[in-house]
Amino acid sequence: MYLRTVHAEHDIPTLRAFIRANPLGVFTTAIESPISHFLQSSHIPWILDVSDEQNPGELGKLRGHMGRANPQAKAIIHDLTSDSGLSKGTAPRLSKDVLVLFNAPEHHYVTPKFYTETKPSTGKVAPTWNYVAVQVYGRATIYFDSQSHETDAFLSRTVADLTQLCETSIMGYENPWSVDDAPESFMTLLKKAIIGIEIEITDMGGKWKMSQEMKEGDHKGVVQGFETMGTELGKAMADIVRERGELAEKRKS
């Protein structure tokens, strides 16, 4: 992802908060495999673990799971089991970095008609698309041995934590559904059908492409343009554009 300076966000606590608010990430691997494509991606919800929330530099780890029947999971397992030096009972790590891309639900086309300063004066305007995204690079440890206690413990904890996050933070339930509400035999079968993924984050960066590079009149035009759409999405876009414009000005000063 191209992180142009004016759009880039490198504040780690801000990136952590974004991931937790938008936990569905696109998990991408690059694996030489005779059974699948070299590049594969899957949408996976993630838990972000940070040992010290007060440490503004700690990147943390991502935890998630995916279906064992997923072609990407099959390629991962094939790659790991082809290593003759694999230690039995220990969750192995992929040799190459992986990428996870998180996107905000608010994104929209920006018409040149919004540029009320430049369009009337020079006409040198072009359409674009405003959006917010965070990319994460890291090293992935894979829990796929269904006979391993380590795998069982990882999957049990991850499924429970993801459920708690989604039931409370996303759904807002005061009495959330819990994994314990399901029969134990059902959960045992479920865990055999998935593999666990833990990513030690080595780098992350964010992109808030929200017209903050535009001239003042054009920036205000974008805010007004989104507001006059009269939709919830338009209002949300206007709020983010305004907020990022104010932040850009604050950083300049």
Side-chain angles (χ1 to χ4, degrees), residues 6-11 14 208 212 219 239-253:
V6 69
H7 298 142
E9 179 59 74
H10 298 293
D11 180 68
T14 298
W208 269 253
Q212 60 266 54
H219 184 269
D239 289 343
I240 301 172
V241 171
R242 185 185 295 108
E243 175 188 300
R244 277 285 143 172
E246 293 172 353
L247 181 59
E249 287 301 316
K250 182 178 180 182
R251 287 175 173 173
K252 285 181 184 177
S253 61

Side-chain angles (χ1 to χ4, degrees), residues 159-181:
V159 171
D161 290 348
L162 277 168
T163 301
Q164 178 69 12
L165 171 70
C166 295
E167 289 284 316
T168 56
S169 297
I170 295 177
M171 298 304 298
Y173 291 146
E174 292 184 7
N175 297 304
W177 183 88
S178 168
V179 170
D180 293 335
D181 294 338

Side-chain angles (χ1 to χ4, degrees), residues 111-179:
T111 172
K113 291 184 177 182
F114 285 176
Y115 302 141
T116 54
E117 179 176 344
T118 303
K119 181 179 178 292
S121 61
T122 69
K124 295 179 179 180
V125 293
T128 190
W129 202 285
N130 278 1
Y131 62 92
V132 182
V134 170
Q135 65 181 13
V136 171
Y137 289 96
R139 303 293 303 280
T141 298
I142 310 298
Y143 297 82
F144 68 91
D145 182 359
S146 59
Q147 303 302 314
S148 165
H149 293 299
E150 183 183 29
T151 295
D152 183 74
F154 179 87
L155 290 174
S156 294
R157 183 165 68 100
T158 299
V159 171
D161 290 348
L162 277 168
T163 301
Q164 178 69 12
L165 171 70
C166 295
E167 289 284 316
T168 56
S169 297
I170 295 177
M171 298 304 298
Y173 291 146
E174 292 184 7
N175 297 304
W177 183 88
S178 168
V179 170

Side-chain angles (χ1 to χ4, degrees), residues 44-47 62-66 154-155 158 162 195-199:
I44 298 175
W46 299 91
I47 286 284
L62 292 173
R63 280 186 293 127
H65 61 83
M66 67 192 307
F154 179 87
L155 290 174
T158 299
L162 277 168
I195 66 171
I197 307 166
E198 183 177 54
I199 301 173

Side-chain angles (χ1 to χ4, degrees), residues 23-28 40-44 46 99-103:
L24 184 66
V26 181
F27 173 60
T28 300
Q40 294 193 81
S41 296
S42 297
H43 287 80
I44 298 175
W46 299 91
L99 167 67
V100 185
L101 182 63
F102 298 90
N103 295 286

